[in-house]
Amino acid sequence: MKKTVLITGGAGFIGSHVVRLFVNKYPDYLIINLDKLTYAGNLENLKDIENKPNYRFVKADIVSADQMLQIFNQFRFDGIIHLAAESHVDRSISRPMDFIYTNIIGTTNLLNMALGQWKNNFQDKVFYHISTDEVFGSLGQEGFFTEQSAYDPRSPYSASKASSDHMVKAYHNTYGLPVLISNCSNNYGPNQFPEKLIPLAINNILNQKPIPVYGKGENVRDWLYVEDHAQAIDIIFHHGKKGETYNIGGNNEWKNIDLIRLLCRIMDRKLGKPEGDSERLITFVKDRAGHDLRYAIDATKLKKELGWQPAHTFETGLERTVEWYLLNRKWLENVLTGEYEKYYERQYQHR
Ligand code: NAD
Ligand code: DAU
């Protein structure tokens, strides 16, 4: 094999798309998918590639130095693409410590392992950390986040991701570890866990349950189809300049309420229902604590320097996403376990 690449969090939403892309596109790379399989990790996401000869799955917790040491003793990695994280803002508000352990301590554990294995011989090695635009805080009505924007995280989730970004940069500055970081906007697409806005709304429409919209639905997010994010990760992994950060975004801003209305129209059409049928499920509920008003990414650097462009428009991406959830009701049923029901009850009962 030409390279051995460790992908963490590969059983999750974005990670599974990255693993699939790498396993299929690079048959001469050995891809190791390391995942703890939390509620958000699901090996069903990778059924189509699980028997490929260049793919291995390892169940492990990045917080455990012992488990990481075992894996780093077993394999010699050329590259690490680190996606494993606690990723849901609402959960970070109710259980911040999970985010401190996985996002900060887990990331630092991996940095130590990479440093130990590569022992200052950094030739052709890279530790690529996948991060979020939320580290830059909240925008007003105007402006965009660039790579120069100051860090201003405002939720336990974004603070834990900001902290992990700082550790990655510190290992580069202090020890010379070859690192890359990208900060991406909101992803959507197949296999997203139905705690996030779009799949939660799709699932609720399918089950004729209220669609909870926080506050007045005025908050703005910049949406990117998940396969476009995976493509950007491939390009940055292979061509990014070590020590640099790249912003990734869809240049596709939507107010939550407008997005939900569009989604309702698509669902009505796909389900053969009269227009307006799903919209009546929209229910305004108590706002998220510290709810960031607006995120918007300026991805000029990635486009100009590395030639990345998203391939999907929002309309085509959203259609594909809805179609996937309609065709994969079994997948939805399987992830909607007792844990999900309990989470949903806790999260939405007093809103
Ligand atoms: P996800 O929650 O769907 O998946 C996370 C994966 O990490 C799961 O498979 C889970 O089992 C695994 N994991 C969690 N804790 C672990 C641990 N301690 N050890 C090993 N594995 C563990 O998340 P996602 O939405 O796919 O996000 C992936 C990454 O991309 C995260 O780092 C997130 O911060 C970042 N990101 C996400 C978005 C987005 O819109 N979803 C946007 C920008 C950046
Ligand atoms: O910007 C990148 C980030 O996008 C990623 O780093 C996070 O991992 C990812 O979860 C996402 O964070 P958000 O908080 O923006 O995503 P979420 O889907 O939770 O919410 C999107 C918007 O919809 C946000 O303004 C809150 C609102 N919302 C969310 C839920 C779950 C609702 O109005 N109702 C809901 O039930």
Side-chain angles (χ1 to χ4, degrees):
M1 290 283 176
K2 208 162 119 196
K3 275 182 200 258
T4 301
V5 180
L6 174 66
I7 300 181
T8 71
F13 165 49
I14 302 170
S16 61
H17 288 272
V18 176
V19 166
R20 177 176 300 100
L21 175 68
F22 273 67
V23 166
N24 287 333
K25 186 169 173 186
Y26 303 107
D28 52 352
Y29 288 9
L30 176 62
I31 304 299
I32 312 295
N33 170 15
L34 185 162
D35 200 295
K36 182 183 174 184
L37 300 182
T38 67
Y39 77 93
N42 183 355
L43 287 176
E44 253 191 82
N45 295 348
L46 292 165
K47 272 252 162 284
D48 54 324
I49 57 109
E50 68 185 4
N51 293 322
K52 296 258 177 168
N54 64 332
Y55 172 73
R56 304 256 197 302
F57 173 70
V58 178
K59 183 173 187 302
D61 184 346
I62 58 168
V63 177
S64 161
D66 288 349
Q67 289 179 24
M68 289 309 102
L69 202 55
Q70 254 185 29
I71 290 149
F72 276 74
N73 281 336
Q74 198 182 341
F75 298 99
R76 300 209 66 77
F77 298 114
D78 300 287
I80 298 168
I81 307 179
H82 174 39
L83 296 106
E86 288 292 338
S87 70
H88 189 40
V89 174
D90 291 326
R91 288 188 192 249
S92 83
I93 294 168
S94 46
R95 289 180 63 93
M97 288 312 288
D98 295 347
F99 290 70
I100 305 308
Y101 288 122
T102 289
N103 298 0
I104 306 178
I105 297 174
T107 300
T108 311
N109 247 339
L110 282 174
L111 288 165
N112 286 332
M113 295 298 147
L115 204 56
Q117 179 166 98
W118 295 338
K119 293 204 172 54
N120 296 324
N121 182 3
F122 297 138
Q123 185 80 32
D124 297 325
K125 305 285 191 286
V126 67
F127 185 104
Y128 179 9
H129 178 60
I130 307 301
S131 192
T132 169
D133 60 357
E134 299 199 11
V135 299
F136 301 123
S138 179
L139 290 166
Q141 303 296 341
E142 306 266 299
F144 296 90
F145 297 131
T146 71
E147 288 78 4
Q148 278 71 49
S149 296
Y151 274 50
D152 183 22
R154 292 158 36 93
S155 73
Y157 164 67
S158 54
S160 68
K161 289 296 290 188
S163 177
S164 62
D165 288 15
H166 289 318
M167 289 308 287
V168 172
K169 288 178 196 185
Y171 273 60
H172 176 69
N173 290 321
T174 310
Y175 309 110
L177 191 76
V179 304
L180 290 163
I181 299 179
S182 55
N183 296 86
C184 189
S185 63
N186 285 62
N187 284 217
Y188 70 99
N191 304 101
Q192 189 168 30
F193 193 78
E195 64 188 350
K196 309 281 167 70
L197 181 66
I198 291 178
L200 184 140
I202 293 173
N203 183 48
N204 285 15
I205 293 169
L206 286 174
N207 292 297
Q208 291 293 294
K209 278 169 58 176
I211 306 169
V213 174
Y214 296 165
K216 294 184 178 141
E218 297 283 309
N219 303 65
V220 174
R221 297 292 182 265
D222 172 1
W223 294 93
L224 181 70
Y225 192 64
V226 62
E227 287 178 8
D228 285 325
H229 189 187
Q231 292 288 349
I233 289 173
D234 178 18
I235 293 172
I236 295 168
F237 178 74
H238 286 99
H239 306 291
K241 204 165 149 220
K242 308 288 161 55
E244 300 252 331
T245 286
Y246 296 87
N247 278 1
I248 312 172
N251 195 21
N252 175 41
E253 291 181 51
W254 284 80
K255 272 188 190 166
N256 291 338
I257 186 63
D258 295 337
L259 185 161
I260 291 300
R261 290 203 171 109
L262 172 64
L263 187 61
C264 286
R265 286 196 294 278
I266 297 176
M267 288 293 285
D268 286 345
R269 184 158 40 78
K270 299 270 179 208
L271 294 170
K273 296 199 166 172
E275 197 172 320
D277 194 75
S278 300
E279 265 200 36
R280 72 191 161 74
L281 295 171
I282 293 176
T283 309
F284 293 95
V285 300
K286 187 167 158 236
D287 210 352
R288 174 183 277 174
H291 197 172
D292 289 340
L293 177 67
R294 175 173 165 256
Y295 308 140
I297 280 281
D298 177 348
T300 307
K301 176 178 173 182
L302 177 60
K303 289 179 180 170
K304 277 208 170 138
E305 292 185 11
L306 303 184
W308 172 81
Q309 281 289 349
H312 300 84
T313 64
F314 196 44
E315 282 69 18
T316 58
L318 208 51
E319 288 260 350
R320 279 179 74 164
T321 303
V322 168
E323 275 162 19
W324 187 86
Y325 280 94
L326 294 181
L327 280 171
N328 290 277
R329 300 240 190 148
K330 192 80 200 135
W331 182 94
L332 256 183
E333 265 169 44
N334 289 350
V335 301
L336 300 178
T337 57
E339 195 279 339
Y340 180 82
E341 291 301 327
K342 280 191 216 125
Y343 162 78
Y344 199 90
E345 179 68 15
R346 274 198 313 273
Q347 179 61 25
Y348 293 97
Q349 65 181 339
H350 298 304
R351 285 186 180 270

